[in-house]
């Protein structure tokens, strides 16, 4: 502290300083906690409270789950939390019962990695991180109902995550009813014969394993051999997002291979249509809706069956069934199950050498190519590379419309994740097929008439021709002709022909795949599933939940030679034999079982946490129906129900939001909740960015140590570059909220983050600019409190007209901005009012001071609470009514009306904003300047746009 500051503080001992802010903020945070100021009553149950408060209109306001990072918060993290807090405070002050709380999404890979590195149990490090974050968040003065907070790692929480998994496991999707139903109802259909088994045998004739297999084809949670990204060097399976474009692990840069593993899946595809259609009723940003629509990827087309001698057939899905006559070869994904069944022992006579890849037999060629394809990520395989790779399987299929034999290849540009994992290739009219046909010297047939001058021979073309406007050609057999038809009519005609001949039908396909739900990790929810000695999966009864994570000595998965693709994951849980192998009585006597040793993904806990906030202590059921109906049930304007406001980053546009929507729909279908959507209104906040400074080596240097000289930037004497980027520890540009709170106070930080710009726009952090909001609070304080004596200076007199007008304009504008989450403009209006009051001089009228404090209360709650108490009030400012503007003061007293004659301004009139057109015309025509401009000429027309414009056209 400088001598000048010390002298100033001696002269003004009651000035609002950082030290005073710290004292005020700590005192009121303690008070709020002790008094339960932010506790929102439920209508019933253990959290029921004041009936009058519960009878108010309700608002359920949520932030996206934070993960308790070891590095704590930087100033970018609280942006959304402060925004929801400001909005929640305003909603309380406008007569709502507001539920606002925060928990922690605490399972997942970061804590497990830290445990592997340090030998610290993930729970210990995670709980320590949570305590640190709680302290940081508390310092911001966030108005959370702390009774409702929890972490996903709490056994009493993940008991219900496991319970939901069992509901999904014990359900199937009835396409006729359009909803999920208990699996017991499906079993009853099989038992009664109402529904036939796949092979036609009676249900009683099937053994336990066969019944389990049949039900597995219907269950909404099922186990299957699924293709995964396997990294032997890491010893774990990776999500697609964790694999780089060159097919290596993002962490460690190890090779990643495609492998098939027994995995749990969620049949989210059963809900594809509903997930798509119900987006229309949600109040979400259109960009997010579009991302979800694209991810679900609904497309209409046809299923077509291509017979293969001795192996049944290959089924493809195509959106261009009209081009079927142009299919000259087929391609299977390398992972396709059919590949092994169709490859012959030897190459057929006359096989083109370029098709074999130089291998002596189809089996050798397929094995070698599969290994090559397994080393590529899906992203890399889908890239528009010039060089197409593949190999002939040695098998031929039959084109059902032409009867021609077409060769069947495997190639990595076809993925199992779309359609059926097989395509009919029409090289003349698809660019990727065209490139492949060129590389493998395959025939091309033109069946869509080109609209340019390229001619009818595809072998002379530079690329494929594709158009929805052109006519079909060369597309006829003895029974059907598409020649001369447009695409729409041709599609309809060939689809009908396929259906009549039993070789296909019109169908809808989705890009969406079933959700891979297994992880080969320790730090996650255990599956409530055990396997009997025949390998049949059995759900644990509810009485055995929660199934808690056991203690293990080694949290790391087993690693292998990074290049050894022929390895299998070994999970940490599998090494705990006493936990894995158990004797249980599941209702038919004690038997030996083996537990599932995979764990659930970190998405599981965040799929339903909004429901736990409602009823966090309920041990008997997921959520009390009356409580869920109260906070989340359907209502006017929200036909699917859901949270009233959900704020978080746009990076969760697809996965988290899609998964949570799926779980809500299943729970709704089964009658556990009334809401079929979890989040009615979604708002994506922008990002707080910061400048990153890099030296000549490209390495980030500490931003706090960089000096600016003559427009250039230097670190320890060396010139460095500067670019705007993310804020983070690794970029050495992170600023912690603790630093800002220590220097200015939490209210200043809150104001600065809200004032930086529109909430949904990214903005750069500038520590030097924070002082502007600190000065606003100092002026606010000074307008009410004498800095020398600490006495309140307000007086019980009526304010003047100008002050009333400024006050009520501010009340009107701030209220609208708060409701619309335009917090930056709300702060601008508060600043304008405060400046007006400062310039006016003299003590404030009490009625003005009190309303000024109420305006500030949602934004800077600590100083508002302090001033409210100093103004003589005993109740907390949190539950006071937000001021209401007097409309007579909101409207400008006069406005300036421009009067034009022959397009030129001849007069400016100061008139009432409520003046009528007739009154304004009379005033304009009577003005002496207008009379002079007309010079006695007649008037042809008078155009009046009250109250701003009159345009006079002389005769």
């Amino acid at each position: 502290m400088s001598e000048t500051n010390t002298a100033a503080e001696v002269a003004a001992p009651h000035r609002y300083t950082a030290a005073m802010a710290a004292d005020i903020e700590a005192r009121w945070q303690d008070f709020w906690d002790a008094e339960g100021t932010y506790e929102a009553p439920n209508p019933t149950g253990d959290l029921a409270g004041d009936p009058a408060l519960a009878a108010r209109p309700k608002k359920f306001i949520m932030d996206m789950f934070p993960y308790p990072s070891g590095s704590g918060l930087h100033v970018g993290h609280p942006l959304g939390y402060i925004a929801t807090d400001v909005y929640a405070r305003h909603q309380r002050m406008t007569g709502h019962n507001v539920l606002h709380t925060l928990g922690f999404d605490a399972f997942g890979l970061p804590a497990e990695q830290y445990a592997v590195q340090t030998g610290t149990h993930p729970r210990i490090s995670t709980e320590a991180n949570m305590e640190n974050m709680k302290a940081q968040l508390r310092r911001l003065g966030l108005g959370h109902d702390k009774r409702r907070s929890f972490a996903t790692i709490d056994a009493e929480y993940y008991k219900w995550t496991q319970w939901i998994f069992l509901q999904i496991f014990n359900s199937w999707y009835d396409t006729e009813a359009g909803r999920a139903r208990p699996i017991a109802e499906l079993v009853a259909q099989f038992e009664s014969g109402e529904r036939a088994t796949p092979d036609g045998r009676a249900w009683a004739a099937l053994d336990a394993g066969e019944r389990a297999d049949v039900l597995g084809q219907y269950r909404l949670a099922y186990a299957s051999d699924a293709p995964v990204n396997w990294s032997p060097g890491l010893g774990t399976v990776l999500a697609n997002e964790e694999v780089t474009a060159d097919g290596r692990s993002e962490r460690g840069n190890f090779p990643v291979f495609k492998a098939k593993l027994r995995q749990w899946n969620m049949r989210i595809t059963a809900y594809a249509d509903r997930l798509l259609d119900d987006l229309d009723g949600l109040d979400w940003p259109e960009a997010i809706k579009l991302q979800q629509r694209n991810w679900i990827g609904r497309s209409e087309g046809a299923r077509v069956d291509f017979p293969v001698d001795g192996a049944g057939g290959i089924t493809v899905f195509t959106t261009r069934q009209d081009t079927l006559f142009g299919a000259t070869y087929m391609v299977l994904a390398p992972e396709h199950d059919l590949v092994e069944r169709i490859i012959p022992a030897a190459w057929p006579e006359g096989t083109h050498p370029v098709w074999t890849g130089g291998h002596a037999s189809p089996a050798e060629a397929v094995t070698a190519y599969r290994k090559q394809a397994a080393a590529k990520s899906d992203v890399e395989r889908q890239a528009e590379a010039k060089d197409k790779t593949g190999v002939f399987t040695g098998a031929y299929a039959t084109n059902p419309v032409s009867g021609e034999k077409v060769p069947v290849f495997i190639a990595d540009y076809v993925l199992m994740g779309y359609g059926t994992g097989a395509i009919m290739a029409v090289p003349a009219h698809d660019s990727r097929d065209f490139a492949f046909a060129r590389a493998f010297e395959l025939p091309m047939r033109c069946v869509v008439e080109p609209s340019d001058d390229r001619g009818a021979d595809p072998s002379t073309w530079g690329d494929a021709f594709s158009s929805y406007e052109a006519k079909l050609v060369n597309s006829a057999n003895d029974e059907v002709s598409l020649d001369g038809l447009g695409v729409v009519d041709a599609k309809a005609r060939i689809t009908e022909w396929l259906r009549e001949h039993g070789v296909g039908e019109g169908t809808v396909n989705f890009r969406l795949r079933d959700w891979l739900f297994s992880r080969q990790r320790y730090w996650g929810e255990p599956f409530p599933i055990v396997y009997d000695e025949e390998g049949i999966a059995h759900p644990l009864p509810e009485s055995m939940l929660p199934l808690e994570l056991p203690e293990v000595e080694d949290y790391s998965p087993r690693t292998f030679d990074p290049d050894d693709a022929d390895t299998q994951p070994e999970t940490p849980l599998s090494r705990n034999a006493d936990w894995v192998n158990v004797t249980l009585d599941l209702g038919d006597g004690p038997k030996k079982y083996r537990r599932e040793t995979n764990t659930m993904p970190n998405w599981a806990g965040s799929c339903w946490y909004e429901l736990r906030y409602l009823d966090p202590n309920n041990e008997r059921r997921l959520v009390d129906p009356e409580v869920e109906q109260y906070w989340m049930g359907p209502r006017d304007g929200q036909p699917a129900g859901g949270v009233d406001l959900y704020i978080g980053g746009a990076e969760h546009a697809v996965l988290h939001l899609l998964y949570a929507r799926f779980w809500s729909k299943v729970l709704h279908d089964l009658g556990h909740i009334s809401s079929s959507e979890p989040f009615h209104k979604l708002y994506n906040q922008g990002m707080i960015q910061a400048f990153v400074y890099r030296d000549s080596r490209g390495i980030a240097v500490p931003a706090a140590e960089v000096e600016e000289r003559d427009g250039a930037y230097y670190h320890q004497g060396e010139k460095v570059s500067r670019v705007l980027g993310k804020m983070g520890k690794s970029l050495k540009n992170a600023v912690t909220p603790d630093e800002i709170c220590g220097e200015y106070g939490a209210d200043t930080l809150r104001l600065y983050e809200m004032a930086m710009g529109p909430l949904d726009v990214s903005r750069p952090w500038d520590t030097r600019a924070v002082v502007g909001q600190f000065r606003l609070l100092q002026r606010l304080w000074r307008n009410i409190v004498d800095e020398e004596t600490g006495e309140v200076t307000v007086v019980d007199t009526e304010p003047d007209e100008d002050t009333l007008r400024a006050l009520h304009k501010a009340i009107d504008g701030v209220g609208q901005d708060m409701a619309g989450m335009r917090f930056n403009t709300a702060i601008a209006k508060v600043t304008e009012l405060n400046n007006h009051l400062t310039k006016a001089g003299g003590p404030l009228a009490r009625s003005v001071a009190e309303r000024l404090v109420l305006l500030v209360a949602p934004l800077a709650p600590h100083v508002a609470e302090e001033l409210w108490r100093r103004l003589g009030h005993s109740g907390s400012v949190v539950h006071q009514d937000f001021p209401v503007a007097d409309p007579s003061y909101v409207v400008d007293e006069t406005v300036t009306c421009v009067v034009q004659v022959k397009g030129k301004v001849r007069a400016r009139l100061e008139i009432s904003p409520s003046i009528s057109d007739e009154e304004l015309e009379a005033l304009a025509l009577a003005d002496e300047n207008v009379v002079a401009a007309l010079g006695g000429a007649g008037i042809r027309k008078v155009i009046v746009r009250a109250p701003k414009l009159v345009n006079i056209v002389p005769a």
Side-chain angles (χ1 to χ4, degrees):
M1 184 183 295
S2 69
E3 291 182 9
T4 304
N5 286 339
T6 303
E9 288 177 12
V10 169
H14 297 279
R15 176 171 295 171
Y16 184 83
T17 62
M20 178 181 283
D23 173 67
I24 289 172
E25 289 164 4
R27 278 192 292 103
W28 286 112
Q29 287 161 15
D30 289 342
F31 173 85
W32 293 330
D33 285 351
E35 295 295 316
T37 301
Y38 302 109
E39 293 178 359
N42 281 345
T44 188
D46 65 313
L47 297 186
D50 181 359
L53 184 53
R56 292 182 175 185
K58 62 89 201 171
K59 284 288 181 181
F60 184 6
I61 299 165
M62 266 181 66
D63 301 278
M64 286 190 182
F65 244 175
Y67 190 88
S69 163
S71 57
L73 300 175
H74 61 62
V75 292
H77 291 125
L79 177 66
Y81 307 147
I82 295 171
T84 52
D85 187 62
V86 173
Y87 184 74
R89 289 175 181 278
H90 179 254
Q91 291 296 306
R92 286 191 193 93
M93 297 177 75
T94 52
H96 294 84
N97 182 23
V98 176
L99 193 167
H100 188 214
T101 190
L102 195 70
F104 293 93
D105 191 12
F107 274 127
L109 192 57
E112 183 167 285
Q113 289 175 315
Y114 186 76
V116 171
Q117 293 165 7
T118 64
T120 306
H121 193 287
R123 179 174 291 279
I124 294 173
S125 59
T126 301
E127 289 181 342
N129 295 342
M130 283 193 290
E131 289 307 310
N132 180 46
M133 282 185 67
K134 286 177 182 178
Q136 288 184 300
L137 292 169
R138 183 180 190 270
R139 193 170 183 181
L140 297 174
L142 303 178
H144 293 148
D145 184 343
K146 295 182 180 179
R147 304 171 303 166
R148 299 174 184 265
S149 185
F150 56 81
T152 55
I153 60 175
D154 299 339
E156 56 269 28
Y157 178 80
Y158 70 75
K159 165 189 174 178
W160 294 104
T161 307
Q162 292 170 335
W163 181 88
I164 295 171
F165 174 84
L166 293 178
Q167 308 313 301
I168 299 172
F169 174 78
N170 285 318
S171 302
W172 63 292
Y173 196 82
D174 184 343
T175 54
E176 293 182 5
R179 65 178 180 85
R181 296 172 60 185
I183 201 75
E185 295 179 10
L186 178 64
V187 172
Q189 291 183 9
F190 282 129
E191 288 176 335
S192 68
E194 177 186 347
R195 184 182 294 268
T197 61
D199 64 4
R201 288 187 292 161
W203 185 252
L206 304 183
D207 63 29
E210 290 171 326
R211 292 180 184 179
D213 289 343
V214 170
L215 295 179
Q217 297 173 34
Y218 290 85
R219 291 187 188 274
L220 289 178
Y222 64 96
S224 70
D225 292 323
V228 295
N229 300 310
W230 165 235
S231 175
L234 288 174
T236 188
V237 165
L238 301 175
N240 287 338
E241 295 79 9
E242 298 169 310
V243 181
T244 64
D246 58 355
R248 303 181 74 86
S249 64
E250 188 175 53
R251 179 166 50 93
N253 197 36
F254 290 108
V256 176
F257 303 95
K258 283 293 182 183
K260 277 199 171 180
L261 295 174
R262 193 73 171 168
Q263 303 283 289
W264 282 99
N265 300 271
M266 294 278 182
R267 206 179 301 275
I268 191 173
T269 49
Y271 282 82
D273 272 321
R274 282 171 62 184
L275 290 168
L276 198 60
D277 295 342
D278 292 354
L279 283 170
D280 293 337
L282 300 180
D283 185 4
W284 287 16
E286 282 304 317
I288 302 298
K289 289 185 179 182
L290 180 61
Q291 286 185 64
Q292 289 223 349
R293 291 188 180 104
N294 289 341
W295 190 265
I296 296 167
R298 188 181 194 277
S299 55
E300 295 187 13
R303 172 185 61 79
V304 185
D305 299 325
F306 285 70
V308 178
D309 291 341
I314 300 172
T315 298
V316 303
F317 170 80
T318 177
T319 59
R320 290 301 303 269
Q321 61 267 40
D322 54 303
T323 64
L324 188 50
F325 283 92
T328 59
Y329 68 97
M330 301 190 74
V331 183
L332 300 177
E335 306 88 355
H336 204 293
D337 289 336
L338 197 58
V339 174
E340 288 90 348
R341 300 207 300 272
I342 67 173
I343 54 176
W347 294 116
E349 187 176 348
T351 296
H352 196 311
V354 77
W355 296 3
T356 69
H359 295 280
S361 70
E364 290 179 21
V366 166
T367 300
Y369 187 77
R370 278 179 153 178
K371 188 170 184 179
Q372 174 187 331
K376 294 183 181 180
S377 69
D378 286 354
V379 174
E380 188 178 12
R381 285 171 60 172
Q382 288 287 283
E384 294 292 339
K386 292 181 179 179
D387 298 327
K388 293 296 180 202
T389 63
V391 71
F392 180 39
T393 63
Y396 285 84
T398 301
N399 185 321
V401 295
S402 68
E404 294 176 346
K405 296 289 187 181
V406 295
V408 181
F409 285 76
I410 60 171
D412 61 11
Y413 76 93
V414 176
L415 303 177
M416 281 304 299
Y418 180 77
T420 64
I423 67 163
M424 65 175 207
V426 185
H429 308 295
D430 180 273
S431 293
R432 292 193 303 165
D433 294 346
F434 186 94
F436 190 90
R438 275 281 168 86
F440 288 87
E441 301 179 23
L442 288 156
M444 304 186 199
R445 181 178 298 112
C446 175
V447 294
V448 180
E449 187 174 44
S451 55
D452 51 27
D453 58 359
R454 67 177 65 203
D457 182 4
S459 66
T460 65
W461 298 353
D463 196 1
F465 171 78
S466 180
S467 172
Y468 275 84
E469 307 301 324
K471 302 292 185 183
L472 275 294
V473 295
N474 303 322
S475 298
N477 61 27
D478 293 340
E479 298 174 340
V480 65
S481 174
L482 309 182
D483 291 344
L485 296 180
V487 171
V488 174
D489 291 338
K491 279 186 174 185
R493 182 169 296 182
I494 196 63
T495 301
E496 181 62 20
W497 186 90
L498 291 168
R499 187 190 63 78
E500 290 174 351
H501 287 73
V503 290
E505 63 180 347
T507 187
V508 174
N509 191 62
F510 294 91
R511 178 179 178 270
L512 179 67
R513 298 293 89 193
D514 280 345
W515 174 13
L516 183 67
F517 201 68
S518 294
R519 295 294 182 270
Q520 292 69 43
R521 297 174 185 151
Y522 168 72
W523 194 233
E525 297 92 341
F527 282 93
I529 294 289
V530 293
Y531 300 92
D532 63 24
E533 293 177 320
E534 281 73 47
I536 299 172
H538 297 267
L540 291 180
E542 185 178 334
S543 61
M544 292 187 180
L545 302 182
L547 173 59
E548 297 192 40
L549 269 177
E551 296 295 326
V552 298
E553 293 182 4
D554 182 6
Y555 312 111
S556 60
R558 181 185 174 190
T559 58
F560 302 87
D561 181 335
D563 296 307
D564 187 357
D566 299 323
T567 49
Q568 292 278 313
E570 181 185 286
T571 65
L573 288 179
S574 67
R575 295 194 285 267
N576 190 327
D578 291 341
W579 184 83
V580 174
N581 302 302
V582 291
T583 298
L584 301 173
D585 185 349
L586 301 184
D588 53 355
K591 293 182 180 179
K592 292 182 179 180
Y593 295 96
R594 176 178 53 84
R595 296 195 191 278
E596 171 64 69
T597 58
N598 287 321
T599 53
M600 298 185 197
N602 62 306
W603 306 106
S606 59
C607 274
W608 72 281
Y609 68 122
E610 71 284 353
L611 298 172
R612 193 61 176 175
Y613 284 152
L614 307 181
D615 200 9
N617 306 317
N618 200 327
E619 298 177 355
R620 296 179 297 102
R621 60 196 312 166
L622 181 73
V623 59
D624 184 291
E626 186 177 344
V627 171
E628 188 271 336
Q629 174 72 46
Y630 173 83
W631 288 110
M632 289 185 62
R635 61 194 70 89
D636 288 345
Q638 295 179 219
V643 172
D644 296 291
L645 176 65
Y646 191 41
I647 289 188
E651 65 272 16
H652 297 297
V654 174
L655 299 181
H656 157 60
L657 292 172
L658 201 61
Y659 297 156
R661 295 181 65 213
F662 166 55
W663 278 36
S664 285
K665 290 184 183 304
V666 177
L667 291 171
H668 170 77
D669 287 356
L670 297 176
H672 298 299
I673 57 176
S674 65
S675 50
S676 58
E677 287 284 346
F679 314 115
H680 173 70
K681 182 177 178 64
L682 174 70
Y683 192 98
N684 295 129
Q685 90 266 15
M687 181 187 298
I688 289 183
Q689 299 172 305
F691 287 110
V692 183
Y693 299 89
R694 298 186 184 275
D695 62 20
S696 57
R697 302 167 296 167
I699 296 175
V701 301
E705 299 174 9
V706 172
E707 298 178 356
E708 181 180 357
R709 298 198 301 268
D710 301 324
Y713 303 93
Y714 297 87
H715 177 254
Q716 296 179 355
E718 179 190 351
K719 192 172 183 181
V720 293
S721 65
R722 184 182 83 157
V723 294
L724 195 60
K726 284 186 175 183
M727 181 179 286
K729 186 177 180 182
S730 64
L731 297 174
K732 300 181 181 178
N733 62 352
V735 178
T736 69
D738 309 69
E739 294 173 56
I740 304 302
C741 289
E743 190 167 355
Y744 298 106
D747 280 340
T748 294
L749 174 61
R750 290 171 60 103
L751 281 171
Y752 178 65
E753 294 215 1
M754 294 298 96
M756 291 171 74
L759 182 59
D760 58 349
V761 175
S762 293
R763 72 293 302 272
W765 175 268
D766 183 0
T767 300
R768 294 170 299 181
V770 178
V771 69
Q773 300 306 317
F774 183 60
R775 288 173 181 153
L776 167 62
L777 292 178
Q778 287 185 312
R779 287 192 294 271
L780 169 70
W781 183 268
R782 195 180 301 124
N783 275 331
I784 298 174
V785 177
D786 186 292
E787 292 183 334
E788 293 183 14
T789 66
E791 297 297 319
V792 170
T793 59
V794 301
V795 293
D796 293 319
T797 58
E798 287 300 311
D800 59 54
E801 184 85 1
D802 285 347
T803 296
L804 282 173
R805 197 166 297 282
L807 173 66
H808 286 281
K809 279 187 175 181
I811 291 171
D812 181 61
V814 171
Q816 291 185 48
D817 287 345
M818 290 280 190
M821 291 190 291
R822 298 182 296 272
F823 305 126
N824 59 320
T825 54
I827 292 170
K829 292 179 175 70
V830 168
T831 304
E832 184 179 356
L833 172 62
N834 199 51
N835 289 344
H836 169 89
L837 299 174
T838 301
K839 291 176 183 176
L844 295 187
R846 174 175 290 278
S847 61
V848 174
E850 290 181 344
R851 281 180 278 192
L852 175 62
V853 169
L854 293 172
L855 284 182
V856 170
L859 294 155
H862 307 91
V863 70
E865 193 78 88
E866 180 72 14
L867 290 172
W868 189 249
R869 186 59 58 97
R870 289 186 181 225
L871 284 166
H873 300 282
S874 57
S876 170
V877 75
V878 171
H879 292 289
Q880 301 306 310
D881 290 339
F882 198 77
V884 177
D886 184 336
S888 64
Y889 289 111
V890 173
V891 179
D892 287 331
E893 194 171 26
T894 62
V895 295
T896 301
C897 174
V898 173
V899 183
Q900 296 177 334
V901 180
K902 294 177 66 174
K904 291 184 178 181
V905 176
R906 297 299 185 180
R908 286 183 169 84
L909 308 176
E910 295 298 317
I911 47 90
S912 167
S914 60
I915 194 170
S916 67
D917 286 358
E918 293 76 12
E919 292 173 318
L920 182 55
E921 180 178 339
L923 282 174
L925 293 175
D927 184 87
E928 60 182 22
N929 293 323
V930 172
V931 172
L934 287 170
I939 298 172
R940 182 156 57 91
K941 184 188 295 185
V942 179
I943 303 168
V944 181
R945 298 286 185 267
K948 295 293 183 71
L949 176 68
V950 177
N951 191 8
I952 302 170
V953 182

